[in-house]
């Protein structure tokens, strides 16, 4: 049974999500503050976090940073909840390492679908052909889900790692944005392919020496992206 941590300082939302997720067969933990959420993560096995941004003691962005900086939770899938619907807020959440972003008010059915899709991606993680690949100064270990550049650890969110994995597994092949959305996100992500562009930018920032002249992740104008065959 998968365990989901729900973090929100609105009690009715905690109860609503708890009821619907347990009805789907998930175990749940509930926290009405960021401090309590981090304490629960420290002492319990959690498979996914649903995290509200606007909280009084420690907001969701701060909690997300601590999740990503902690060695034990850095790869934990996180869905952000927020009343903020501006693009800049979504980008900030994704940049800090969130795997998904849902704005309030939200459809409980849609949230459950997104939870299932994200957990399904985690469950289906199986290295294809090789456990480790190396290209240039970057090394990726699929089985451990680790990435190193110049022998230094690189922290990737769940979606960033999945995107990199998809590109590497399809080395030399041009992948369009809709294909990437379907394979990495597992559903229509608001029909907005800019999400792919944002995550590509994050990957380049972490892996490329020159983002404007990338060595590894090539842009194919008007189509999508390709992992560069000449990278090794």
């Amino acid at each position: 049974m998968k365990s989901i941590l729900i973090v929100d300082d609105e009690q009715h939302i905690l109860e609503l999500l708890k009821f619907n997720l347990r009805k789907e067969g998930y175990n749940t933990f509930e926290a009405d503050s960021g401090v309590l959420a981090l304490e629960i993560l420290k002492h319990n096995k959690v498979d996914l976090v649903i995290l509200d941004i606007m909280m009084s003691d420690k907001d969701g962005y701060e909690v997300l940073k601590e999740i990503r900086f902690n060695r034990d939770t850095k790869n934990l899938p996180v869905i952000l909840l927020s009343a903020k619907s501006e693009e800049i807020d979504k980008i900030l959440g994704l940049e800090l390492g969130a795997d998904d972003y849902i704005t309030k008010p939200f459809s409980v059915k849609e949230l459950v679908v997104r939870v299932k899709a994200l957990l399904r991606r985690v469950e289906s993680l199986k290295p294809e052909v090789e456990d480790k690949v190396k290209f240039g100064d970057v090394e990726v270990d699929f089985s451990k889900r680790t990435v190193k550049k110049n022998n230094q650890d690189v922290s990737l969110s769940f979606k960033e790692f999945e995107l990199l994995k998809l590109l590497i597994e399809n080395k030399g092949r041009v992948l369009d944005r809709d294909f990437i959305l379907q394979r990495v996100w597992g559903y229509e992500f608001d029909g907005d392919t800019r999400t792919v562009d944002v995550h590509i930018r994050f990957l380049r920032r972490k892996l490329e020496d020159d983002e404007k002249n990338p060595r590894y992740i090539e842009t194919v104008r008007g189509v999508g992206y390709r992992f560069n065959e000449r990278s090794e």
Side-chain angles (χ1 to χ4, degrees):
M1 183 182 293
K2 297 295 183 183
S3 293
I4 298 173
L5 171 59
I6 309 163
V7 189
D8 200 302
D9 59 3
E10 296 183 66
Q11 192 62 36
H12 72 281
I13 290 182
L14 283 181
E15 292 299 326
L16 177 66
L17 294 182
K18 173 184 174 181
F19 173 79
N20 283 276
L21 289 169
R22 291 197 172 188
K23 188 169 68 172
E24 293 293 329
Y26 299 112
N27 179 46
T28 63
F29 298 98
E30 298 80 41
D32 59 5
S33 71
V35 172
L36 179 56
L38 292 171
E39 194 65 22
I40 290 173
L41 286 173
K42 189 184 299 182
H43 300 290
N44 297 275
K45 181 184 180 300
V46 173
D47 298 290
L48 182 144
V49 179
I50 298 172
L51 177 62
D52 185 37
I53 292 177
M54 302 298 290
M55 293 184 290
S56 56
D57 66 331
K58 188 186 285 283
D59 69 27
Y61 290 139
E62 293 178 87
V63 175
L64 180 58
K65 286 179 186 177
E66 294 199 33
I67 288 174
R68 290 294 174 246
F69 288 148
N70 186 306
R71 183 177 180 179
D72 295 327
T73 60
K74 65 179 182 179
N75 294 319
L76 187 63
V78 176
I79 297 175
L80 284 182
L81 293 180
S82 177
K84 298 180 178 181
S85 59
E86 295 297 321
E87 183 181 25
I88 186 64
D89 297 306
K90 293 183 180 181
I91 290 175
L92 176 58
L94 295 171
E95 190 165 25
L96 289 174
D99 300 292
D100 203 345
Y101 188 107
I102 298 178
T103 55
K104 297 178 178 180
F106 56 86
S107 160
V108 175
K109 288 184 178 179
E110 181 185 359
L111 186 144
V112 170
V113 168
R114 294 194 183 200
V115 165
K116 288 180 177 180
L118 193 47
L119 287 173
R120 197 160 53 238
R121 293 293 161 187
V122 175
E123 284 298 308
S124 66
L125 293 177
K126 292 183 180 178
E128 296 185 13
V129 184
E130 299 176 274
D131 283 346
K132 290 183 181 180
V133 295
K134 187 169 184 179
F135 48 96
D137 55 2
V138 178
E139 182 177 298
V140 181
D141 188 321
F142 290 126
S143 60
K144 295 181 179 177
R145 292 183 63 79
T146 59
V147 179
K148 291 186 177 183
K149 180 177 174 64
N150 291 320
N151 293 318
Q152 299 295 314
D153 289 335
V154 177
S155 179
L156 299 186
S157 72
F158 175 77
K159 284 292 191 273
E160 289 167 359
F161 189 92
E162 284 296 276
L163 176 54
L164 178 62
K165 180 173 180 282
L166 180 66
L167 290 168
I168 291 173
E169 289 176 345
N170 291 274
K171 181 179 176 182
R173 177 185 172 192
V174 179
L175 306 181
D176 67 45
R177 291 171 176 82
D178 288 326
F179 175 81
I180 292 172
L181 272 178
Q182 183 181 358
R183 290 294 301 274
V184 176
W185 277 262
Y187 56 87
E188 287 295 330
F189 190 76
D190 295 335
D192 190 352
T193 56
R194 287 178 297 178
T195 285
V196 175
D197 300 330
V198 169
H199 280 74
I200 289 288
R201 189 166 73 244
F202 296 161
L203 278 180
R204 284 176 172 162
R205 187 177 301 166
K206 294 175 180 181
L207 301 179
E208 303 280 4
D209 294 323
D210 183 353
E211 293 178 54
K212 295 183 179 179
N213 184 29
R215 179 183 177 189
Y216 305 127
I217 304 172
E218 175 187 358
T219 299
V220 180
R221 291 193 179 279
V223 184
Y225 300 97
R226 171 171 55 200
F227 192 80
N228 200 328
E229 290 183 296
R230 298 165 296 175
S231 62
E232 294 185 19

